[in-house]
């Protein structure tokens, strides 16, 4: 049976990954996704020192050119069919352990399936390394095929949505794995064996109608997880209220009997929990409250709890219902991060700054870091990230544990990150200056907790104080006045046109808003966590009152300069 499962799965994966002897799709600088990850892993297997982050940036282009030069190919830095055929046919491991120091990037829907990094053989089935919720394409189809063989009749749609995630979590739970809904190495290993209790039949392979995973009907009522796609109030489903009451008791919001009645005591407990975490204390358990509560108490729920960023170049309206004609709840700025709760029919149910609503799925890109709501449930502890020794990766890792932190309007909530969005923060408090707007303090604070010395990133009260001229690592794009040259120690040799500089992950980015006073040199600062052919993606403190992500065109007139610390 084990041999039969592996053989069938290998054939299924090969059918997904290969198209006979068809040419590989050309990959160019600026591309992103699983195809680029496959390219990068193949280059790494050939000894090139790059990161498999799914972004075809400068390092990947140079590695491609080096590979082309070594093999007598045209050195254009573009991974065309000839280059990819040579690379993927080279003797190399079929997969490298996934050790990405900065956020990975989910394949965009329009991209083609990634080829395997080595020719598939009958000796070992093809795998894709780690596949996460939100991914699309060939890796997901391969995963869905594997789950079908184990009795989960999923549609082979190549979309890692809720049904695929729930099926995977059920499989992991049955087999003693961490039920995180992410297909990593251990999960793949069990998927390829019969020891996981598979009941595969040939009919499962052809199953194309979405259905509930086998076994769900006989599982205990609460095992499928609590729903967050609702607001619980008096008269709501009793089984869901019982889950709510148990979670509230676990969170020390009140001592409740799980009787399924939304009583005044339950309402009070909900208000207590909401007030503790800076949510609107309505007493009604809305989706944001439920998702935060169930995450905090580790109650199994259907919430995806993914981070999605507005990948469009402008603000997107968050709607009150999953249709374009519904009312606008609020707008989400370009690049801003929301917590994704559910996915349904082309819409994500999301929460942003403690308000929930709906956004089109094509407006969001999945960012594989802890969501703002998850960070809130952890009280924004930097201990959620383990230092690796890679200073650049550690700066971003520490900084992303703060995603969603909201400043306060007084000192009462400066440490909790549950304020209404003001200048008071724990980052300023760290330097005994809690009331100062914290975009600069946030970076200095993250650097200290990432064990980055002050000689690389210093302690600065405001953005004008964060400079790196001693490292000659600062460039700027404006004509400074004499007073600015002297005060900021600006060197003429560091001035250039904005189009002449290519930002990189880990750079610090400096802004001056158009509304700034004439005497202002810089208004704001952030950390670059991603760059593509058109945009730079940033993580910023005090961005609209919270720690949040943003995106800007590379030629945005508000960008005044970059610093590249020598990590």
């Amino acid at each position: 049976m084990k041999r039969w499962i592996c053989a069938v799965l290998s054939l299924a994966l090969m059918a997904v990954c290969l198209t006979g002897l068809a040419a590989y799709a050309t990959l160019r600088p600026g591309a992103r996704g699983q195809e680029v990850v496959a390219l990068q892993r193949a280059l790494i297997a050939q000894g090139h020192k790059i990161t498999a982050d799914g972004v075809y940036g400068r390092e990947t282009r140079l590695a491609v050119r080096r590979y082309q030069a070594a093999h007598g190919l045209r050195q254009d830095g573009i991974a065309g069919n000839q280059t990819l055929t040579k690379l993927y046919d080279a003797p190399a491991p079929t997969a490298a352990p996934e050790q990405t120091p900065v956020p990975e990037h989910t394949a965009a829907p329009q991209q083609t399936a990634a080829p395997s990094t080595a020719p598939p053989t009958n000796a070992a089935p093809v795998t894709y390394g780690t596949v996460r919720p939100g991914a699309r394409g060939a890796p997901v189809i391969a995963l869905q095929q594997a789950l079908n063989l184990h009795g989960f009749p999923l549609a082979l749609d190549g979309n890692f949505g809720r049904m695929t995630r729930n099926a995977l979590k059920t499989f992991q739970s049955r087999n003693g794995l961490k039920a995180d809904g992410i297909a990593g190495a251990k999960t793949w290993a069990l998927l390829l064996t019969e020891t996981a209790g598979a009941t595969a039949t040939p009919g499962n392979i052809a199953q194309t109608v979405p259905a509930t995973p086998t076994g769900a009907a006989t599982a205990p009522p609460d095992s499928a997880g609590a729903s967050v796609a609702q607001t619980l109030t008096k008269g709501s489903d009793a089984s869901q209220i019982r889950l709510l009451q148990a979670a509230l008791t676990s969170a020390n919001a009140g001592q409740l009997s799980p009787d399924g009645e939304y009583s005044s005591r339950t309402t009070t407990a909900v208000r207590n929990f909401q007030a503790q975490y800076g949510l609107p204390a309505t007493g009604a358990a809305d989706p944001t409250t439920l998702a935060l509560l169930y995450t905090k108490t580790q109650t199994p729920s259907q919430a995806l709890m993914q981070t999605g960023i507005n990948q469009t170049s402008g603000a997107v309206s968050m709607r009150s219902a999953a249709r374009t004609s519904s009312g606008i709840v609020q707008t989400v700025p370009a690049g801003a991060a929301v917590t994704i709760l559910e996915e349904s029919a082309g819409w994500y149910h999301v929460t942003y700054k403690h308000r929930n609503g709906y956004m089109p799925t094509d407006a969001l890109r999945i960012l594989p870091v802890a969501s703002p709501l998850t960070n809130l449930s952890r009280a924004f502890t930097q201990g959620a990230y383990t230092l690796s020794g890679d200073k650049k990766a550690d700066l971003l890792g520490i900084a992303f544990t703060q995603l969603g932190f909201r400043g306060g309007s007084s000192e009462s909530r400066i440490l909790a990150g549950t304020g209404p969005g003001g200048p008071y923060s724990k980052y300023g408090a760290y330097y005994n200056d809690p009331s100062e707007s914290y975009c600069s303090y946030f970076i200095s604070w993250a650097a200290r907790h990432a064990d980055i010395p002050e000689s690389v990133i210093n302690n600065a009260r405001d953005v004008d104080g964060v400079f790196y001229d001693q490292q000659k690592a600062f460039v700027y794009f404006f004509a400074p006045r004499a007073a600015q040259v002297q005060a900021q120690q600006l060197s003429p040799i560091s001035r250039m046109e904005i189009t002449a500089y290519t930002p990189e992950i880990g750079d610090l980015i400096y802004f001056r808003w158009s509304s700034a006073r004439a005497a202002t040199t810089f208004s704001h600062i952030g950390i670059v966590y991603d760059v593509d052919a058109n945009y730079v993606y940033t993580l910023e403190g005090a961005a609209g009152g919270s720690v949040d992500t943003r995106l800007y065109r590379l030629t945005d007139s508000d960008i005044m300069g970059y610093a590249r610390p020598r990590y």
Side-chain angles (χ1 to χ4, degrees):
M1 177 65 76
K2 175 180 178 180
R3 184 178 301 171
W4 181 85
I5 292 176
C6 289
V8 173
L9 184 55
S10 295
L11 291 173
L13 291 169
M14 289 169 66
V16 171
C17 301
L18 304 176
T19 56
L21 297 177
Y24 290 108
T26 298
L27 296 174
R28 302 175 182 275
R32 61 177 61 243
Q34 295 288 353
E35 295 88 344
V36 180
V37 172
L39 167 66
Q40 291 167 326
R41 286 178 177 165
L43 289 167
I44 290 169
Q46 295 298 317
H48 297 271
K49 304 298 183 183
I50 60 175
T51 300
D53 60 0
V55 177
Y56 201 139
R58 179 175 178 272
E59 290 184 354
T60 301
R61 178 173 59 83
L62 292 176
V64 169
R65 291 188 64 181
R66 287 193 293 269
Y67 180 84
Q68 291 169 328
H71 293 83
L73 302 172
R74 180 183 177 184
Q75 300 172 45
D76 57 6
I78 298 172
N81 180 59
Q82 189 176 10
T83 297
L84 292 174
T85 300
K86 185 79 172 179
L87 179 62
Y88 292 147
D89 286 345
T94 59
E98 192 160 49
Q99 188 71 27
T100 306
V102 296
E104 303 166 5
H105 305 279
T106 303
Q110 69 272 17
Q111 292 175 321
T112 56
S116 169
T117 57
T121 69
N122 292 331
V126 180
T127 66
Y128 280 95
T130 301
V131 183
R132 304 172 184 273
R136 299 174 187 267
V140 182
I141 294 176
L143 174 63
Q144 291 166 333
Q145 286 275 20
L147 287 166
N148 280 346
L149 288 170
H150 286 277
F152 297 90
L154 296 169
L156 304 182
D157 58 6
N159 180 21
F160 201 145
R162 184 181 67 178
M163 295 192 68
T164 301
R165 176 176 178 266
N166 287 345
L168 184 59
K169 288 179 70 175
T170 301
F171 174 85
Q172 291 169 321
S173 179
R174 288 178 182 175
N175 293 283
L177 299 174
K178 180 181 179 182
D180 56 5
I182 298 172
K186 291 181 179 180
T187 298
W188 275 111
L190 279 178
L191 279 169
L192 300 182
T193 69
E194 68 171 344
T195 58
T199 56
T201 66
N204 285 339
I205 300 173
Q207 176 63 261
T208 58
V209 180
T212 303
T214 300
T218 59
D222 293 345
S223 66
S227 172
V228 300
Q230 60 185 323
T231 296
L232 294 180
T233 58
K234 187 174 181 179
S236 296
D237 180 79
S239 64
Q240 291 296 315
I241 293 175
R242 282 193 290 271
L243 288 169
L244 168 67
Q245 292 168 326
L248 288 167
T249 299
S250 178
N252 296 318
Q255 295 300 315
L256 302 174
S257 298
D259 57 9
E261 294 289 334
Y262 208 99
S263 63
S264 59
R265 293 188 64 185
T266 300
T267 301
T268 299
V270 170
R271 283 200 185 102
N272 291 341
F273 180 81
Q274 290 169 328
Q276 180 182 357
Y277 288 94
L279 307 180
T282 63
D286 65 352
T288 301
T289 300
L290 292 172
L292 176 61
L293 174 63
Y294 294 150
T295 301
K296 177 68 178 176
T297 58
Q298 299 184 347
T299 300
S301 82
Q302 297 171 1
L304 295 176
M305 296 301 285
Q306 293 176 309
T307 299
I309 66 162
N310 173 7
Q311 65 178 346
T312 71
S313 59
V316 172
S317 297
M318 193 167 79
R319 302 282 178 175
S320 59
R323 56 180 182 271
T324 55
S325 60
S326 61
I328 298 175
V329 176
Q330 63 178 332
T331 56
V332 178
V338 303
T339 300
I340 298 173
L341 304 179
E342 298 279 351
E343 179 183 2
S344 177
W347 291 83
Y348 282 129
H349 189 183
V350 305
T351 177
Y352 181 63
K353 294 190 174 180
H354 305 337
R355 302 185 70 183
N356 67 88
Y358 295 84
M359 295 178 67
T361 55
D362 60 4
L364 296 178
R365 189 185 93 192
I366 304 299
L367 194 65
V369 297
S371 70
L373 216 56
T374 299
N375 287 337
L376 175 58
S377 75
R378 297 171 177 170
F380 299 103
T381 175
Q382 65 271 14
Y385 176 83
T386 302
L387 297 181
S388 67
D390 181 329
K391 300 304 183 185
K392 183 191 299 185
D394 288 346
L395 176 68
L396 286 165
I398 290 292
F400 267 108
T401 65
Q402 307 303 298
L403 183 64
F405 181 101
R406 301 188 73 192
S409 55
S410 67
E411 294 193 38
S412 61
R413 290 179 175 170
I414 60 173
L415 299 181
T418 59
Y424 285 77
S425 75
K426 69 178 183 181
Y427 318 112
Y430 185 81
Y431 295 100
N432 298 313
D433 190 14
S435 63
E436 174 68 19
S437 185
Y438 55 90
C439 64
S440 298
Y441 276 146
F442 169 65
I443 294 176
S444 296
W445 176 93
R448 299 294 78 79
H449 287 85
D451 289 342
I452 295 173
E454 293 181 30
S455 60
V456 176
I457 294 181
N458 63 336
N459 297 321
R461 182 175 189 271
D462 55 53
V463 65
D464 286 353
V466 186
F467 280 94
Y468 308 88
D469 285 349
Q470 291 182 351
Q471 299 180 31
K472 300 187 184 303
F474 183 74
V475 298
Y476 59 96
F477 315 127
F478 63 98
R481 299 186 308 279
Q484 291 173 318
V485 171
Q486 181 178 3
Q488 315 305 335
Q489 303 178 23
L490 299 179
S491 171
I493 63 174
S494 296
R495 183 185 172 191
M496 63 177 65
E497 295 296 322
I498 192 170
T499 54
Y501 184 82
T502 302
E504 294 183 0
I505 294 170
D507 281 4
L508 304 186
I509 181 171
Y510 294 75
F511 303 92
R512 183 173 66 217
W513 309 135
S514 57
S515 59
R517 294 177 300 176
T520 300
T521 305
F522 302 111
S523 306
H524 191 59
I525 187 172
I527 310 171
V528 175
Y529 75 83
D530 193 14
V531 183
D532 63 24
N534 299 304
Y535 299 102
V536 57
Y537 300 79
T538 63
L539 178 62
E540 305 168 11
S546 64
V547 176
D548 204 351
T549 51
R550 292 288 189 269
L551 70 81
Y552 306 88
R553 290 195 177 275
L554 291 172
T555 55
D556 193 300
S557 61
D558 286 335
I559 299 175
M560 293 292 108
Y562 292 91
R564 183 164 295 168
R566 299 187 181 179
Y567 294 102

